[in-house]
Every structure is written in C-alpha cells, then in structure tokens.
Amino acid sequence: MSRITHLCPPYRPQVQAALAVMHPKNSPVEPLKLFRTIARNLPLGAAMSQLGPYMLGRSANFDMRSREIVIDRVTARCHCEYEWAVHVKGFAHRVGLTAEQIYSTVHGSATDTCWDNKDAALIAMVDELHDSGRVTDVTWSTLASHFSENALMELLILAGWYHAISFLANGAQVKLEHWAPRFPDKREAS
C-alpha cells in the first residue's frame, strides 16, 4: 500500500500541465505513478523538472548507455525496484544491455565479466559512492580515461539524483507499474 497515493485522472489543469513536463510526449503509457505522486506537490515537481530533463536529455555530457548503467545500479543498490524496473523496461534494450548485464546491475559487481572497462568503472563508481560517499583514485582514473571533466561531474550528480529518486519512491512506497519487470531472482552460485 502506498504511503502517498498517486493522483488519478481526471487531473486539474495545473496537474495536467505538470505531468506534461514530467512525462514523455506521445508515450503509450499513462504518466508514471512516481510522476503522479510528485504532482501532489506541484512546487516540488517544478523544482525537480529542472534537473531531471537535463540528466535524461541530450544536454548531458555522457552517453545514454552510461546513464542507464548508473541509474540501474544506483536504484538496485537502493533497493528501488520501482525506478530500476521503469528504466530497464524503457531503456535497457535501446542501450544494448544484455540479460546478464541487467542481472548484474542487481546482483553482480564491477568485476563481472559481462562489463567492459568503461562500464565496470561506472558500476564501481556507483558502489563506492553508495558504500563510502567517495570514489577511489583507481576508479576515477579509469573513468577519466573515458569521460570529460564535465561528464564526470554530471555522472556524480546523476548517481546522487537517483538516490533521491529512490528514496522518494521507496519512502512513499510508490506502487510498481504493472507493465514493468521485477528484480531478477538471485541465482545459485555455480
């Protein structure tokens, strides 16, 4: 049961306008439950609508695949099945994540053989930030060989932004979208 119930249609004009900013145009699904929860607090939604589109849009200095690896790993580490599932459903195929990589975002690590050097560094960055609030020199050096300084700053903010999104979704107990996948079951070690 949600702690903060998401809004349902019909929407007031102000809510409709806010959802139009948050939700992709021409989407085949109704606005996400998370967006409809945020729309209960229109000033907060307006503030969030500044950074979110920047991080998800073409203005960011990193590629979409890197963005999705960071988001998937952050949300998995935060146990936020809601946001992990929305991103896996919406982007994993588009950015070329394999089933093994999707599994690894939840149950694996940067040392899993499914990751190349760049992707592994992104996973390591998320894990280090999550565990200690810092990035090791080794991980930073690897990331710096793949990303500009501006991109590195944005990737750090992206990781923190999706911690905030995860905290909101988990704390409010936003109900899972019926069309989105679930965390994969953990496999037995072989």
Side-chain angles (χ1 to χ4, degrees):
M1 182 115 182
S2 293
R3 290 180 175 150
I4 301 174
T5 305
H6 60 270
L7 297 173
C8 293
Y11 305 116
R12 296 177 320 190
Q14 304 93 318
V15 170
Q16 187 67 45
L19 291 173
V21 171
M22 291 182 224
H23 197 69
K25 292 178 183 163
N26 304 317
S27 175
V29 298
E30 65 185 323
L32 298 176
K33 290 175 185 163
L34 178 65
F35 295 160
R36 293 187 284 146
T37 301
I38 293 168
R40 295 184 71 79
N41 182 333
L42 291 174
L44 176 64
M48 292 178 76
S49 70
Q50 298 299 305
L51 185 57
Y54 178 85
M55 289 295 170
L56 296 177
R58 298 183 204 278
S59 299
N61 288 291
F62 47 77
D63 59 286
M64 187 186 298
R65 178 182 170 84
S66 296
R67 178 193 81 197
E68 290 305 311
I69 289 169
V70 169
I71 292 170
D72 292 350
R73 185 60 173 187
V74 166
T75 55
R77 288 296 311 270
C78 289
H79 308 285
C80 186
E81 187 172 31
Y82 176 90
E83 193 67 14
W84 177 89
V86 166
H87 276 268
V88 166
K89 178 69 174 176
F91 299 102
H93 179 72
R94 288 172 43 189
V95 301
L97 291 178
T98 66
E100 193 63 28
Q101 290 168 332
I102 292 167
Y103 177 86
S104 181
T105 64
V106 178
H107 299 296
S109 72
T111 62
D112 289 351
T113 59
C114 62
W115 301 117
D116 66 20
N117 188 263
K118 176 183 170 186
D119 295 346
L122 291 166
I123 298 289
M125 177 196 79
V126 169
D127 288 352
E128 291 167 9
L129 287 169
H130 188 83
D131 293 341
S132 70
R134 300 181 182 279
V135 177
T136 64
D137 290 340
V138 171
T139 298
W140 188 263
S141 177
T142 304
L143 289 168
S145 72
H146 295 285
F147 297 100
S148 70
E149 190 174 84
N150 285 347
L152 290 168
M153 285 190 288
E154 292 171 5
L155 287 165
L156 294 170
I157 294 297
L158 179 70
W161 179 248
Y162 275 86
H163 262 89
I165 297 295
S166 295
F167 294 166
L168 176 60
N170 285 346
Q173 294 181 344
V174 175
K175 290 181 182 177
L176 301 174
E177 301 290 349
H178 71 277
W179 44 261
R182 300 298 178 253
F183 280 149
D185 291 331
K186 188 164 181 142
R187 299 179 199 143
E188 294 290 324
S190 42

